[in-house]
């Protein structure tokens, strides 16, 4: 048991480092892609808040930090940033403006919402599994993807458009 606990602590530490490295690489790619420091910080805020917002809820649900749950943070980061890139690109191109609003809604908002809800629901089904690591993996990933969707659809456009208004 002692060696198992030591090994698990080491794996959790390694997965935390993996998450941190993923965040740095994705952040660097976003900075290169956006070429705008303000937009980079909006991207960073919107994509890291789900991680921190999930901690209280996971605590309330009684989920533990183990190899499976810590691994979900790296996975969710990759899934959440994908939607953010699509939304930011569409906002930069002005697809949210009057004559292109339908295009923006139908080709960006609806697919992001549908895919995020479907992923969140599918991972939530893992919560029905009796094996605790799989159960906690599914619940944690479902929560993270759902929080990411909310932030991508509500907070990201608000921060981006608010930033654009200040520049005018």
């Amino acid at each position: 048991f002692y060696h198992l606990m030591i090994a698990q602590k080491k794996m959790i530490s390694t997965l935390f480092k993996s998450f941190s490295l993923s965040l740095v690489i994705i952040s660097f790619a976003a900075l290169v892609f956006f070429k705008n420091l303000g937009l980079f910080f909006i991207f960073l805020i919107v994509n890291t808040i789900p991680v921190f917002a999930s901690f209280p809820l996971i605590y309330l649900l009684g989920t533990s930090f183990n190899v499976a749950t810590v691994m979900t943070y790296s996975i969710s980061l990759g899934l959440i940033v994908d939607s953010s890139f699509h939304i930011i690109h569409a906002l930069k191109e002005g697809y949210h403006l009057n004559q292109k609003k339908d295009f923006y809604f139908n080709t960006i908002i609806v697919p992001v919402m549908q895919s995020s809800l479907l992923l969140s629901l599918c991972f939530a089904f893992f919560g029905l599994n009796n094996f605790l690591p799989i159960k906690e993996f599914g619940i944690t990933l479902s929560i993270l993807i759902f929080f990411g969707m909310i932030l991508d659809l509500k907070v990201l456009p608000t921060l981006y458009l608010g930033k654009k208004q200040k520049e005018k």
Side-chain angles (χ1 to χ4, degrees), residues 35-67:
K35 297 177 182 86
N36 180 321
L37 203 54
L39 191 52
F40 163 75
F41 283 116
I42 290 171
F43 175 84
L44 195 59
I45 289 167
V46 167
N47 289 295
T48 55
I49 285 178
V51 172
F52 298 113
S54 70
F55 292 149
L57 188 57
I58 288 169
Y59 174 77
L60 290 173
L61 293 173
T63 304
S64 62
F65 284 106
N66 55 45
V67 174

Side-chain angles (χ1 to χ4, degrees), residues 11-82:
M11 285 190 286
I12 289 173
S13 172
T14 301
L15 287 170
F16 177 75
K17 290 175 189 172
S18 171
F19 170 79
S20 300
L21 182 61
S22 298
L23 182 61
V24 167
I25 291 170
I26 289 169
S27 298
F28 179 73
L31 185 59
V32 169
F33 178 73
F34 299 138
K35 297 177 182 86
N36 180 321
L37 203 54
L39 191 52
F40 163 75
F41 283 116
I42 290 171
F43 175 84
L44 195 59
I45 289 167
V46 167
N47 289 295
T48 55
I49 285 178
V51 172
F52 298 113
S54 70
F55 292 149
L57 188 57
I58 288 169
Y59 174 77
L60 290 173
L61 293 173
T63 304
S64 62
F65 284 106
N66 55 45
V67 174
T69 56
V70 173
M71 183 174 41
T72 61
Y73 290 99
S74 294
I75 294 169
S76 68
L77 184 64
L79 294 170
I80 294 168
V81 300
D82 180 59

Side-chain angles (χ1 to χ4, degrees), residues 30 33-34 39-40 42-44 46-47 81-94 104 108 152 156-157 160:
F33 178 73
F34 299 138
L39 191 52
F40 163 75
I42 290 171
F43 175 84
L44 195 59
V46 167
N47 289 295
V81 300
D82 180 59
S83 299
S84 299
F85 275 113
H86 287 289
I87 292 171
I88 289 172
H89 175 72
L91 292 171
K92 281 177 72 173
E93 294 295 319
Y104 172 69
I108 304 298
D152 275 342
L156 177 59
Y160 178 82

